[in-house]
Amino acid sequence: MHIVISEFMDRAAVDALASRFDVRYDPQLVERTPELERALATADALIVRNRTQVRGPLLEAAPKLRVVGRLGVGLDNIDTAACAARGIDVIPATGANAQAVAEYVIATAMLLLRGAYLSTPDVAAGRWPRTALSEGRELAGKTLGLIGFGGIGRLTGRLARALGMQAIGYDPALAADAAPWRDEATSPVTLETLLARADVVSLHVPLVASTRHLIDAGRLATMKHDAVLINTSRGGVVDEHALANSLREHRLGGAALDVFEAEPLKAASPLADCPNLVLTPHIAGVTRESNERVSAMIAERVAAALSPA
Ligand code: NAD
C-alpha cells in the first residue's frame, strides 16, 4: 500500500511507516502541486500538516485515497464533507499538541502582564528602566477567560489554576451543568460576562461561521482596559484591524497572536508596530516534543486505518 507524506513529519514516524508500507516522504511536495497530484494517482493514504489543500483537484487526482492523516488538529485545509462523501477517513492528531499550546498561553500571559521581560536591549545599553517596569502584574489571583472549552481550553485552564488563577469559560456546546466545568473547577459564563471579567482572554475555538470575527471592535471595547488577549486558535476569529486600533489607543493591555487571517502575515499589516503585541508564526502547538507525539500518533492511526486488525 502506498502513502504520500507532503509536509514535514518526524523521521522516526516516517521510518515506522516505511517499514510496513511503500512511503513517499517529501516535506516540500506541498509546494509542487502538479507533482503532488501525480504522486497521489496510486496513493491509499496522504499525510499532511496545514498547508496541503486537501480538496477539489487534489482529491480528484487521488482515486484510491482511503485515509488522510493530519499532523495537527485544525481541519480547515481539508474538505471534510468531500472526504466523507467518498468514504475517506480523516484522522487528526487530537490532543498531541495541547500541552505546547497551553504552555504558550501561560508564557505569553505572564510576559504581557509583567511587561518586564523585553528590557534586554535597554539594560545592555546601560539604561535602567526600573521605574517604568515596576507596575508589572502577577498571574496569581487573576481571572482567565477561556473561549472554547475543548481539549486545549481545558488543559490551559488546568495549568492556569495550578498557578493560582481563577478560570471562567464560554462554550455554547456545553450545558452549564456539564461535567467538564465541574471537573476543571471552571465557571461557565456568557461571552459578555467573560469579556467583562477576565484579565486574560484566551481563544480555543475552531474557525466556523459563528466564530468568524467573534472578537470584533464591539467585543474588544467591553474588555478590561488592561486585559490581555491571546489567540492560538485560528486567524479570522479576531478582527485584526479592530485589535490593532485597541492596542494603539491603549484600550487593551496587550495581545499575543499565533494565528492570522492570512498566513504568512503581510509586512504592511495593521498589526505592525502595535504596542504590547507578541506575534509568532503559528508555532504555539509546535515543539520538539509535540512534533514527536503528533507524528507518532498519526503514523500509528494511519497504519491502523490501512490495515485494520
Ligand atoms: P476542540 O474541538 O477540542 O475544542 C473546541 C471547542 O470550541 C469545542 O468545545 C466547541 O464546542 C467550542 N466552540 C465552538 N464554537 C464556539 C463558539 N462560537 N464559542 C465558544 N466555543 C465554541 O479543539 P482544540 O483541540 O481545543 O483546539 C482549539 C483550537 O486550537 C482549534 O481552532 C485548533 O485548530 C487550534 N490549534 C492551534 C494550534 C497552533 O499551533 N496555534 C495548535 C493546536 C490547535
Side-chain angles (χ1 to χ4, degrees):
M1 258 177 295
H2 180 195
I3 303 176
V4 173
I5 307 168
S6 60
E7 297 181 65
F8 170 76
M9 188 172 188
D10 185 61
R11 192 74 238 182
V14 175
D15 291 346
L17 286 171
S19 69
R20 296 179 54 193
F21 303 97
D22 172 13
V23 170
R24 169 146 184 211
Y25 173 53
D26 180 343
Q28 271 81 45
L29 198 52
V30 57
E31 284 151 26
R32 305 193 302 275
T33 307
E35 204 179 324
L36 171 58
E37 289 182 3
R38 276 197 301 280
L40 288 173
T42 55
D44 302 280
L46 169 64
I47 296 180
V48 303
R49 298 185 85 86
N50 63 356
R51 293 173 59 212
T52 309
Q53 296 302 314
V54 187
R55 58 180 90 251
L58 190 138
L59 283 173
E60 278 161 31
K64 291 178 64 194
L65 199 64
R66 287 164 47 203
V67 182
V68 176
R70 162 74 170 97
L71 297 160
V73 291
L75 296 178
D76 24 46
N77 58 317
I78 300 174
D79 184 342
T80 49
C83 287
R86 273 188 44 193
I88 298 169
D89 223 356
V90 176
I91 305 176
T94 305
N97 55 13
Q99 182 72 23
V101 179
E103 288 190 15
Y104 175 103
V105 175
I106 299 298
T108 52
M110 281 183 155
L111 182 134
L112 289 164
L113 287 178
R114 189 69 183 261
Y117 302 122
L118 303 175
S119 61
T120 303
D122 279 337
V123 174
R127 291 183 288 274
W128 198 246
R130 193 158 183 261
T131 308
L133 298 178
S134 297
E135 292 290 309
R137 290 168 292 160
E138 297 168 1
L139 210 60
K142 300 293 181 300
T143 298
L144 170 67
L146 295 160
I147 301 183
F149 202 55
I152 297 176
R154 289 175 210 181
L155 181 59
T156 303
R158 217 170 296 154
L159 299 192
R161 283 185 290 106
L163 289 164
M165 295 188 88
Q166 275 108 43
I168 58 178
Y170 167 70
D171 191 322
L174 280 179
D177 59 356
W181 300 119
R182 271 197 317 281
D183 295 348
E184 301 293 343
T186 300
S187 310
V189 295
T190 63
L191 183 56
E192 289 68 31
T193 303
L194 185 145
L195 292 171
R197 278 182 41 199
D199 302 291
V200 177
V201 172
S202 191
L203 294 161
H204 301 288
V205 294
L207 178 62
V208 291
S210 65
T211 59
R212 186 169 291 281
H213 285 193
L214 184 70
I215 303 300
D216 59 7
R219 293 213 166 101
L220 284 165
T222 66
M223 290 174 64
K224 291 183 178 177
H225 76 280
D226 58 356
V228 304
L229 175 72
I230 301 172
N231 188 14
T232 57
S233 64
R234 279 292 176 266
V237 175
V238 174
D239 179 339
E240 291 170 4
H241 279 85
L243 176 64
N245 287 338
S246 293
L247 290 169
R248 283 187 210 289
E249 292 163 16
H250 298 282
R251 288 187 277 108
L252 198 66
L257 300 180
D258 185 53
V259 288
F260 304 90
E261 305 208 49
E263 296 181 8
L265 185 69
K266 297 265 184 309
S269 152
L271 294 166
D273 301 326
C274 281
N276 302 323
L277 177 62
V278 174
L279 302 177
T280 50
H282 203 143
I283 44 77
V286 184
T287 58
R288 208 180 285 180
E289 293 87 347
S290 76
N291 274 332
E292 288 172 12
R293 280 193 302 268
V294 162
S295 293
M297 180 187 280
I298 290 304
E300 197 179 301
R301 291 189 178 169
V302 167
L306 287 179
S307 37

